[in-house]
Every structure is written in structure tokens, then in C-alpha cells.
Amino acid sequence: MTSGDLERGTKNRGNNSNFPLYYVETAEKQWTSWLIPMFVVANIAVFFVVMYVNDCPKKNLGSERSCVAKFLGRFSFQPLKENPLFGPSSATLEKMGALEWNKVVHGDQGWRLITCMWLHAGVIHVLANMLSLVFIGIRLEQQFGFVRVGLIYLVSGFGGSIFSSLFIQRNISVGASGALFGLLGAMLSELLTNWTIYSNKIAALLTLVVIIAINLVVGILPHVDNFAHIGGFFTGFLLGFVLLLRPQFGWVESRHFRADAHVKSKHKAYQYMFLLAAAVLLIVG
């Protein structure tokens, strides 16, 4: 999206970001996004594997309950009364690694804190998360690279799982929502710590708030919990201050001035303060 650069008085060109946040164009490198698409492919592939294992027709043979979309064979969905999201049974999700507090704490199955973020409760769930991931993640990876964005995604997903397990102890939980909200949290902290380089600050902030509010509504769906959203969001929010720091406006250009000219510092004092506070909270937490 092309937007007016209020600080330069010109228009930004070449910004092909699919989630514009009205930032000022700089000479920073634009990365090619490949990790986020790989995450999307991996999540969808895992869903197909789960549906294959679920095998609704076989497990409901002779039952009064009828599988949905029987023409799909063993990939058909559980009855809508059991799973309105067009997906597998709770037993299958539990078998494949859904987050369950009792098994994590008393069954020494800590690996569920990681596997649950690759599972989804149904077609609606996986599509909603993957569309959001593409919409949000590709823009971040293009700007900050696969290492930082991948780290935020994975650590936020883990943080969301831990936070969820502290509050949800009777139901299972699945989904990449914690990792997705981690990216949203990182986008918010990136906006705050790099505040001076954004041309339309209020529009950027309102856009993020709306996106976050919409995704919170997903928390009412079966097997999806807002505790994972909250945990992932705050994990990503703190990581954003540490990993998504940008040079202040004008620093790149000032490096090309003559030797005796005043050169701006790369970052502002408040950016270092945010970084230090976030790093402490991450270590303590």
C-alpha cells in the first residue's frame, strides 16, 4: 500500500507489504519470505495427518452419529454436534499431542506444550489461523528476516502453551493462536519502540487494535482458549522490544554525511530502555 510519508513530505514507493502499518521507508534490506509459508504448509499437512488418523467412518461404525462429508472417506469430519469446526474428535487430538494439563504435569509429557501449537480443531480453525498468519507473518518476515520472526513465532507459541496450562486444566487445547498472537504482540511492541519512524502513528495503532480484537473472538471456539492467546501475545510483545529494534529516522542517511558532520545515534534512549525492561521480564518470567 502506498501511503504519504509525512516526515519526508513524499510518497513511499516499492512497499509491497501485505499488511501495511504506515512506516517510513528506509534503506533497510527487504527479505524474501519463505519461513512463514513453510509454517503454513506444515500446519495444513499436520491437519491432514490428524484427519487420516481420526478416520471418522471406521470409529463411528454402527453408531447413530453420522460423519460429515462422507464422500471424503477416512478424511470425513466428526458429527457437527461433537465438533462444529469440521474436524477430528477430541480423542484424536489428545492422541496426536493436544495440550492437556494432567498429562503435562503428572504424565511427564511436556512435549505437548510444543505439539499442541501444530494441531487444529477443524477446517474453520486452521483456515482462520493460516490466513491470519499469512496476513501478518509475511510482512514481518520481509522486514526482519526469518530468524527473528521464526524465533518470535516458536517462543510465543511455547509461552502461550505454558500460560494456557496454568488456567485450563480440564479441557484440551490446540492451535497456533498463541504463536499468531505472539506475532501480533511483536508488531505492537515494534510500533511502540520504533514510534518515530511511522508516518501515520494513530492509523497504525488502530489497525493493530482491530486485528487483535478480531482474533480474540476466535477464543470462543471449541478447543481454542484465550489464555494461549494472552500468553503468546505478551511473550511476543516482550520479544518484539528485543528483536525488532529499528534505527531511528535519519540514521541511515546520516552515515553518508561528510566526516565532520554530526551523525545521529542509531537508536534513541527510550528504545534501549524498552529493550532492557523487556529482556529482564523475559528472563524473570
Side-chain angles (χ1 to χ4, degrees):
M1 177 177 179
T2 302
S3 59
D5 184 341
L6 301 184
E7 293 183 87
R8 293 185 181 180
T10 60
K11 287 184 178 292
N12 286 334
R13 290 182 172 82
N15 178 15
N16 58 355
S17 168
N18 58 357
F19 188 74
L21 274 183
Y22 315 101
Y23 62 92
V24 174
E25 186 178 25
T26 68
E28 292 182 12
K29 177 181 178 180
Q30 284 288 310
W31 299 77
T32 298
S33 176
W34 62 269
L35 184 63
I36 292 300
M38 288 293 292
F39 282 160
V40 172
V41 171
N43 276 279
I44 294 175
V46 169
F47 181 73
F48 273 100
V49 171
V50 171
M51 292 307 303
Y52 181 85
V53 172
N54 186 65
D55 196 3
C56 180
K58 180 180 179 180
K59 294 180 179 177
N60 286 279
L61 189 64
S63 173
E64 295 181 356
R65 299 180 301 173
S66 178
C67 300
V68 178
K70 290 183 177 179
F71 63 89
L72 294 175
R74 67 183 298 150
F75 290 97
S76 57
F77 312 118
Q78 292 298 119
L80 293 181
K81 287 186 178 180
E82 180 181 345
N83 188 342
L85 300 179
F86 299 97
S89 65
S90 296
T92 300
L93 289 172
E94 183 179 335
K95 176 182 178 181
M96 297 298 290
L99 180 62
E100 185 181 3
W101 179 84
N102 188 57
K103 291 189 175 182
V104 171
V105 176
H106 301 296
D108 296 324
Q109 297 182 14
W111 49 267
R112 290 180 179 270
L113 294 169
I114 299 175
T115 56
C116 68
M117 61 186 284
W118 301 97
L119 301 173
H120 287 84
V123 173
I124 296 176
H125 188 198
V126 70
L127 285 180
N129 273 352
M130 294 306 100
L131 287 173
S132 297
L133 180 57
V134 168
F135 192 55
I136 295 166
I138 288 181
R139 173 254 170 183
L140 280 176
E141 188 179 356
Q142 286 175 340
Q143 293 183 14
F144 297 100
F146 70 93
V147 174
R148 286 183 283 182
V149 173
L151 188 62
I152 291 172
Y153 181 89
L154 296 174
V155 175
S156 296
F158 183 72
S161 296
I162 292 178
F163 196 76
S164 175
S165 64
L166 295 176
F167 293 93
I168 302 209
Q169 302 180 0
R170 296 183 179 180
N171 299 313
I172 64 172
S173 176
V174 295
S177 300
L180 178 62
F181 265 78
L183 295 181
L184 287 171
M187 290 178 73
L188 180 57
S189 57
E190 189 269 328
L191 171 62
L192 295 176
T193 195
N194 302 318
W195 187 256
T196 59
I197 73 170
Y198 279 82
S199 59
N200 197 335
K201 300 173 175 60
I202 300 302
L205 185 59
L206 288 177
T207 300
L208 261 181
V209 170
V210 170
I211 294 295
I212 292 170
I214 292 174
N215 279 274
L216 280 173
V217 176
V218 179
I220 66 175
L221 297 176
H223 307 313
V224 184
D225 64 274
N226 273 327
F227 291 110
H229 294 173
I230 295 170
F233 180 84
F234 280 107
T235 302
F237 182 71
L238 295 176
L239 286 171
F241 286 120
V242 177
L243 299 176
L244 304 185
L245 214 60
R246 289 179 182 271
Q248 65 168 307
F249 180 72
W251 176 79
V252 175
E253 291 79 3
S254 68
R255 291 184 304 169
H256 304 294
F257 293 165
R258 65 179 187 272
D260 59 341
H262 174 70
V263 178
K264 288 186 175 183
S265 60
K266 187 173 183 179
H267 300 106
K268 289 183 175 293
Y270 78 87
Q271 290 179 297
Y272 290 116
M273 292 175 61
F274 278 145
L275 187 153
L276 180 61
V280 171
L281 289 174
L282 283 169
I283 294 173
V284 172

PDB file of all heavy atoms in Angstrom, residues 236-258:
ATOM      1  N   GLY A 236       5.328 -12.500  22.785  1.00  0.00           N
ATOM      2  CA  GLY A 236       5.739 -11.819  21.561  1.00  0.00           C
ATOM      3  C   GLY A 236       5.944 -10.331  21.768  1.00  0.00           C
ATOM      4  O   GLY A 236       6.844  -9.728  21.166  1.00  0.00           O
ATOM      5  N   PHE A 237       5.116  -9.749  22.628  1.00  0.00           N
ATOM      6  CA  PHE A 237       5.228  -8.315  22.926  1.00  0.00           C
ATOM      7  C   PHE A 237       6.592  -7.986  23.511  1.00  0.00           C
ATOM      8  O   PHE A 237       7.251  -7.026  23.096  1.00  0.00           O
ATOM      9  CB  PHE A 237       4.115  -7.921  23.901  1.00  0.00           C
ATOM     10  CG  PHE A 237       4.081  -6.461  24.255  1.00  0.00           C
ATOM     11  CD1 PHE A 237       3.686  -5.516  23.321  1.00  0.00           C
ATOM     12  CD2 PHE A 237       4.425  -6.032  25.530  1.00  0.00           C
ATOM     13  CE1 PHE A 237       3.646  -4.155  23.643  1.00  0.00           C
ATOM     14  CE2 PHE A 237       4.386  -4.689  25.860  1.00  0.00           C
ATOM     15  CZ  PHE A 237       3.997  -3.759  24.918  1.00  0.00           C
ATOM     16  N   LEU A 238       7.048  -8.792  24.441  1.00  0.00           N
ATOM     17  CA  LEU A 238       8.362  -8.574  25.053  1.00  0.00           C
ATOM     18  C   LEU A 238       9.497  -8.880  24.075  1.00  0.00           C
ATOM     19  O   LEU A 238      10.485  -8.148  24.002  1.00  0.00           O
ATOM     20  CB  LEU A 238       8.503  -9.431  26.311  1.00  0.00           C
ATOM     21  CG  LEU A 238       7.563  -9.087  27.471  1.00  0.00           C
ATOM     22  CD1 LEU A 238       7.727 -10.075  28.616  1.00  0.00           C
ATOM     23  CD2 LEU A 238       7.796  -7.660  27.969  1.00  0.00           C
ATOM     24  N   LEU A 239       9.342  -9.951  23.311  1.00  0.00           N
ATOM     25  CA  LEU A 239      10.375 -10.302  22.334  1.00  0.00           C
ATOM     26  C   LEU A 239      10.526  -9.229  21.261  1.00  0.00           C
ATOM     27  O   LEU A 239      11.623  -9.000  20.753  1.00  0.00           O
ATOM     28  CB  LEU A 239      10.043 -11.645  21.678  1.00  0.00           C
ATOM     29  CG  LEU A 239      10.265 -12.897  22.529  1.00  0.00           C
ATOM     30  CD1 LEU A 239       9.702 -14.117  21.828  1.00  0.00           C
ATOM     31  CD2 LEU A 239      11.747 -13.084  22.832  1.00  0.00           C
ATOM     32  N   GLY A 240       9.423  -8.564  20.920  1.00  0.00           N
ATOM     33  CA  GLY A 240       9.479  -7.522  19.902  1.00  0.00           C
ATOM     34  C   GLY A 240      10.395  -6.378  20.292  1.00  0.00           C
ATOM     35  O   GLY A 240      11.115  -5.828  19.452  1.00  0.00           O
ATOM     36  N   PHE A 241      10.389  -6.008  21.563  1.00  0.00           N
ATOM     37  CA  PHE A 241      11.266  -4.937  22.043  1.00  0.00           C
ATOM     38  C   PHE A 241      12.736  -5.323  21.913  1.00  0.00           C
ATOM     39  O   PHE A 241      13.596  -4.470  21.710  1.00  0.00           O
ATOM     40  CB  PHE A 241      10.964  -4.608  23.500  1.00  0.00           C
ATOM     41  CG  PHE A 241       9.689  -3.832  23.711  1.00  0.00           C
ATOM     42  CD1 PHE A 241       8.667  -4.352  24.483  1.00  0.00           C
ATOM     43  CD2 PHE A 241       9.516  -2.584  23.135  1.00  0.00           C
ATOM     44  CE1 PHE A 241       7.505  -3.641  24.683  1.00  0.00           C
ATOM     45  CE2 PHE A 241       8.351  -1.864  23.326  1.00  0.00           C
ATOM     46  CZ  PHE A 241       7.337  -2.393  24.105  1.00  0.00           C
ATOM     47  N   VAL A 242      13.011  -6.625  22.033  1.00  0.00           N
ATOM     48  CA  VAL A 242      14.388  -7.109  21.997  1.00  0.00           C
ATOM     49  C   VAL A 242      14.866  -7.360  20.568  1.00  0.00           C
ATOM     50  O   VAL A 242      16.005  -7.016  20.208  1.00  0.00           O
ATOM     51  CB  VAL A 242      14.520  -8.399  22.832  1.00  0.00           C
ATOM     52  CG1 VAL A 242      15.937  -8.951  22.738  1.00  0.00           C
ATOM     53  CG2 VAL A 242      14.143  -8.136  24.288  1.00  0.00           C
ATOM     54  N   LEU A 243      14.000  -7.928  19.744  1.00  0.00           N
ATOM     55  CA  LEU A 243      14.424  -8.412  18.425  1.00  0.00           C
ATOM     56  C   LEU A 243      14.067  -7.507  17.249  1.00  0.00           C
ATOM     57  O   LEU A 243      14.664  -7.638  16.180  1.00  0.00           O
ATOM     58  CB  LEU A 243      13.815  -9.804  18.170  1.00  0.00           C
ATOM     59  CG  LEU A 243      14.217 -10.914  19.146  1.00  0.00           C
ATOM     60  CD1 LEU A 243      13.470 -12.197  18.823  1.00  0.00           C
ATOM     61  CD2 LEU A 243      15.722 -11.146  19.111  1.00  0.00           C
ATOM     62  N   LEU A 244      13.089  -6.627  17.421  1.00  0.00           N
ATOM     63  CA  LEU A 244      12.604  -5.854  16.275  1.00  0.00           C
ATOM     64  C   LEU A 244      12.963  -4.369  16.359  1.00  0.00           C
ATOM     65  O   LEU A 244      12.211  -3.501  15.905  1.00  0.00           O
ATOM     66  CB  LEU A 244      11.081  -6.015  16.135  1.00  0.00           C
ATOM     67  CG  LEU A 244      10.580  -7.454  16.009  1.00  0.00           C
ATOM     68  CD1 LEU A 244       9.082  -7.467  15.749  1.00  0.00           C
ATOM     69  CD2 LEU A 244      11.327  -8.206  14.917  1.00  0.00           C
ATOM     70  N   LEU A 245      14.099  -4.083  16.912  1.00  0.00           N
ATOM     71  CA  LEU A 245      14.566  -2.699  17.027  1.00  0.00           C
ATOM     72  C   LEU A 245      14.988  -2.168  15.659  1.00  0.00           C
ATOM     73  O   LEU A 245      15.690  -2.844  14.912  1.00  0.00           O
ATOM     74  CB  LEU A 245      15.761  -2.664  17.986  1.00  0.00           C
ATOM     75  CG  LEU A 245      15.936  -1.437  18.878  1.00  0.00           C
ATOM     76  CD1 LEU A 245      14.723  -1.259  19.781  1.00  0.00           C
ATOM     77  CD2 LEU A 245      17.194  -1.599  19.727  1.00  0.00           C
ATOM     78  N   ARG A 246      14.567  -0.959  15.333  1.00  0.00           N
ATOM     79  CA  ARG A 246      14.970  -0.310  14.078  1.00  0.00           C
ATOM     80  C   ARG A 246      15.819   0.929  14.388  1.00  0.00           C
ATOM     81  O   ARG A 246      15.622   1.570  15.417  1.00  0.00           O
ATOM     82  CB  ARG A 246      13.747   0.157  13.286  1.00  0.00           C
ATOM     83  CG  ARG A 246      12.910  -0.926  12.647  1.00  0.00           C
ATOM     84  CD  ARG A 246      11.740  -0.247  11.939  1.00  0.00           C
ATOM     85  NE  ARG A 246      10.838  -1.181  11.314  1.00  0.00           N
ATOM     86  CZ  ARG A 246      10.964  -1.641  10.076  1.00  0.00           C
ATOM     87  NH1 ARG A 246      11.980  -1.239   9.334  1.00  0.00           N
ATOM     88  NH2 ARG A 246      10.089  -2.483   9.571  1.00  0.00           N
ATOM     89  N   PRO A 247      16.720   1.301  13.471  1.00  0.00           N
ATOM     90  CA  PRO A 247      17.447   2.572  13.638  1.00  0.00           C
ATOM     91  C   PRO A 247      16.463   3.733  13.579  1.00  0.00           C
ATOM     92  O   PRO A 247      15.446   3.665  12.871  1.00  0.00           O
ATOM     93  CB  PRO A 247      18.395   2.598  12.434  1.00  0.00           C
ATOM     94  CG  PRO A 247      18.499   1.182  11.989  1.00  0.00           C
ATOM     95  CD  PRO A 247      17.171   0.552  12.290  1.00  0.00           C
ATOM     96  N   GLN A 248      16.732   4.788  14.337  1.00  0.00           N
ATOM     97  CA  GLN A 248      15.834   5.931  14.315  1.00  0.00           C
ATOM     98  C   GLN A 248      15.850   6.615  12.952  1.00  0.00           C
ATOM     99  O   GLN A 248      16.777   6.451  12.162  1.00  0.00           O
ATOM    100  CB  GLN A 248      16.215   6.932  15.404  1.00  0.00           C
ATOM    101  CG  GLN A 248      17.574   7.579  15.215  1.00  0.00           C
ATOM    102  CD  GLN A 248      17.769   8.759  16.135  1.00  0.00           C
ATOM    103  OE1 GLN A 248      16.953   9.681  16.187  1.00  0.00           O
ATOM    104  NE2 GLN A 248      18.864   8.742  16.898  1.00  0.00           N
ATOM    105  N   PHE A 249      14.805   7.371  12.691  1.00  0.00           N
ATOM    106  CA  PHE A 249      14.642   8.030  11.398  1.00  0.00           C
ATOM    107  C   PHE A 249      15.837   8.946  11.095  1.00  0.00           C
ATOM    108  O   PHE A 249      16.242   9.753  11.908  1.00  0.00           O
ATOM    109  CB  PHE A 249      13.349   8.853  11.398  1.00  0.00           C
ATOM    110  CG  PHE A 249      13.094   9.571  10.100  1.00  0.00           C
ATOM    111  CD1 PHE A 249      12.715   8.872   8.973  1.00  0.00           C
ATOM    112  CD2 PHE A 249      13.256  10.940  10.008  1.00  0.00           C
ATOM    113  CE1 PHE A 249      12.490   9.523   7.778  1.00  0.00           C
ATOM    114  CE2 PHE A 249      13.030  11.606   8.825  1.00  0.00           C
ATOM    115  CZ  PHE A 249      12.646  10.901   7.706  1.00  0.00           C
ATOM    116  N   GLY A 250      16.414   8.783   9.928  1.00  0.00           N
ATOM    117  CA  GLY A 250      17.517   9.645   9.503  1.00  0.00           C
ATOM    118  C   GLY A 250      18.889   9.083   9.786  1.00  0.00           C
ATOM    119  O   GLY A 250      19.885   9.609   9.280  1.00  0.00           O
ATOM    120  N   TRP A 251      18.968   7.972  10.564  1.00  0.00           N
ATOM    121  CA  TRP A 251      20.288   7.449  10.918  1.00  0.00           C
ATOM    122  C   TRP A 251      21.002   6.877   9.693  1.00  0.00           C
ATOM    123  O   TRP A 251      22.199   7.090   9.499  1.00  0.00           O
ATOM    124  CB  TRP A 251      20.159   6.362  11.980  1.00  0.00           C
ATOM    125  CG  TRP A 251      21.478   5.720  12.324  1.00  0.00           C
ATOM    126  CD1 TRP A 251      22.456   6.224  13.141  1.00  0.00           C
ATOM    127  CD2 TRP A 251      21.983   4.469  11.829  1.00  0.00           C
ATOM    128  NE1 TRP A 251      23.529   5.357  13.197  1.00  0.00           N
ATOM    129  CE2 TRP A 251      23.268   4.273  12.403  1.00  0.00           C
ATOM    130  CE3 TRP A 251      21.475   3.498  10.972  1.00  0.00           C
ATOM    131  CZ2 TRP A 251      24.027   3.145  12.136  1.00  0.00           C
ATOM    132  CZ3 TRP A 251      22.249   2.367  10.704  1.00  0.00           C
ATOM    133  CH2 TRP A 251      23.505   2.207  11.286  1.00  0.00           C
ATOM    134  N   VAL A 252      20.287   6.123   8.850  1.00  0.00           N
ATOM    135  CA  VAL A 252      20.902   5.515   7.670  1.00  0.00           C
ATOM    136  C   VAL A 252      21.485   6.590   6.764  1.00  0.00           C
ATOM    137  O   VAL A 252      22.620   6.493   6.282  1.00  0.00           O
ATOM    138  CB  VAL A 252      19.871   4.666   6.896  1.00  0.00           C
ATOM    139  CG1 VAL A 252      20.487   4.148   5.601  1.00  0.00           C
ATOM    140  CG2 VAL A 252      19.371   3.520   7.756  1.00  0.00           C
ATOM    141  N   GLU A 253      20.710   7.673   6.524  1.00  0.00           N
ATOM    142  CA  GLU A 253      21.172   8.745   5.656  1.00  0.00           C
ATOM    143  C   GLU A 253      22.358   9.482   6.263  1.00  0.00           C
ATOM    144  O   GLU A 253      23.274   9.905   5.558  1.00  0.00           O
ATOM    145  CB  GLU A 253      20.031   9.728   5.386  1.00  0.00           C
ATOM    146  CG  GLU A 253      18.908   9.178   4.513  1.00  0.00           C
ATOM    147  CD  GLU A 253      17.954   8.282   5.295  1.00  0.00           C
ATOM    148  OE1 GLU A 253      18.149   8.142   6.525  1.00  0.00           O
ATOM    149  OE2 GLU A 253      17.034   7.721   4.675  1.00  0.00           O
ATOM    150  N   SER A 254      22.361   9.640   7.600  1.00  0.00           N
ATOM    151  CA  SER A 254      23.420  10.412   8.256  1.00  0.00           C
ATOM    152  C   SER A 254      24.779   9.733   8.159  1.00  0.00           C
ATOM    153  O   SER A 254      25.816  10.388   8.279  1.00  0.00           O
ATOM    154  CB  SER A 254      23.058  10.645   9.735  1.00  0.00           C
ATOM    155  OG  SER A 254      23.091   9.427  10.464  1.00  0.00           O
ATOM    156  N   ARG A 255      24.800   8.442   7.913  1.00  0.00           N
ATOM    157  CA  ARG A 255      26.083   7.735   7.805  1.00  0.00           C
ATOM    158  C   ARG A 255      26.849   8.152   6.546  1.00  0.00           C
ATOM    159  O   ARG A 255      28.056   7.956   6.462  1.00  0.00           O
ATOM    160  CB  ARG A 255      25.850   6.216   7.773  1.00  0.00           C
ATOM    161  CG  ARG A 255      25.363   5.627   9.076  1.00  0.00           C
ATOM    162  CD  ARG A 255      25.258   4.126   8.966  1.00  0.00           C
ATOM    163  NE  ARG A 255      24.397   3.721   7.856  1.00  0.00           N
ATOM    164  CZ  ARG A 255      24.303   2.469   7.420  1.00  0.00           C
ATOM    165  NH1 ARG A 255      25.035   1.521   7.972  1.00  0.00           N
ATOM    166  NH2 ARG A 255      23.490   2.167   6.422  1.00  0.00           N
ATOM    167  N   HIS A 256      26.138   8.720   5.580  1.00  0.00           N
ATOM    168  CA  HIS A 256      26.770   9.098   4.319  1.00  0.00           C
ATOM    169  C   HIS A 256      27.197  10.573   4.289  1.00  0.00           C
ATOM    170  O   HIS A 256      27.646  11.063   3.266  1.00  0.00           O
ATOM    171  CB  HIS A 256      25.807   8.814   3.157  1.00  0.00           C
ATOM    172  CG  HIS A 256      25.348   7.386   3.102  1.00  0.00           C
ATOM    173  ND1 HIS A 256      26.198   6.340   2.827  1.00  0.00           N
ATOM    174  CD2 HIS A 256      24.128   6.832   3.315  1.00  0.00           C
ATOM    175  CE1 HIS A 256      25.527   5.198   2.857  1.00  0.00           C
ATOM    176  NE2 HIS A 256      24.259   5.478   3.145  1.00  0.00           N
ATOM    177  N   PHE A 257      27.020  11.259   5.439  1.00  0.00           N
ATOM    178  CA  PHE A 257      27.453  12.655   5.502  1.00  0.00           C
ATOM    179  C   PHE A 257      28.980  12.708   5.571  1.00  0.00           C
ATOM    180  O   PHE A 257      29.652  11.705   5.810  1.00  0.00           O
ATOM    181  CB  PHE A 257      26.856  13.351   6.727  1.00  0.00           C
ATOM    182  CG  PHE A 257      25.354  13.500   6.648  1.00  0.00           C
ATOM    183  CD1 PHE A 257      24.626  13.826   7.774  1.00  0.00           C
ATOM    184  CD2 PHE A 257      24.672  13.318   5.442  1.00  0.00           C
ATOM    185  CE1 PHE A 257      23.251  13.969   7.716  1.00  0.00           C
ATOM    186  CE2 PHE A 257      23.299  13.452   5.372  1.00  0.00           C
ATOM    187  CZ  PHE A 257      22.587  13.784   6.507  1.00  0.00           C
ATOM    188  N   ARG A 258      29.528  13.903   5.367  1.00  0.00           N
ATOM    189  CA  ARG A 258      30.983  14.046   5.455  1.00  0.00           C
ATOM    190  C   ARG A 258      31.458  13.769   6.880  1.00  0.00           C
ATOM    191  O   ARG A 258      30.687  13.820   7.842  1.00  0.00           O
ATOM    192  CB  ARG A 258      31.389  15.460   5.013  1.00  0.00           C
ATOM    193  CG  ARG A 258      30.890  16.583   5.892  1.00  0.00           C
ATOM    194  CD  ARG A 258      31.390  17.929   5.364  1.00  0.00           C
ATOM    195  NE  ARG A 258      31.066  19.005   6.274  1.00  0.00           N
ATOM    196  CZ  ARG A 258      29.935  19.686   6.250  1.00  0.00           C
ATOM    197  NH1 ARG A 258      29.011  19.387   5.336  1.00  0.00           N
ATOM    198  NH2 ARG A 258      29.717  20.656   7.121  1.00  0.00           N
TER     199      ARG A 258
END
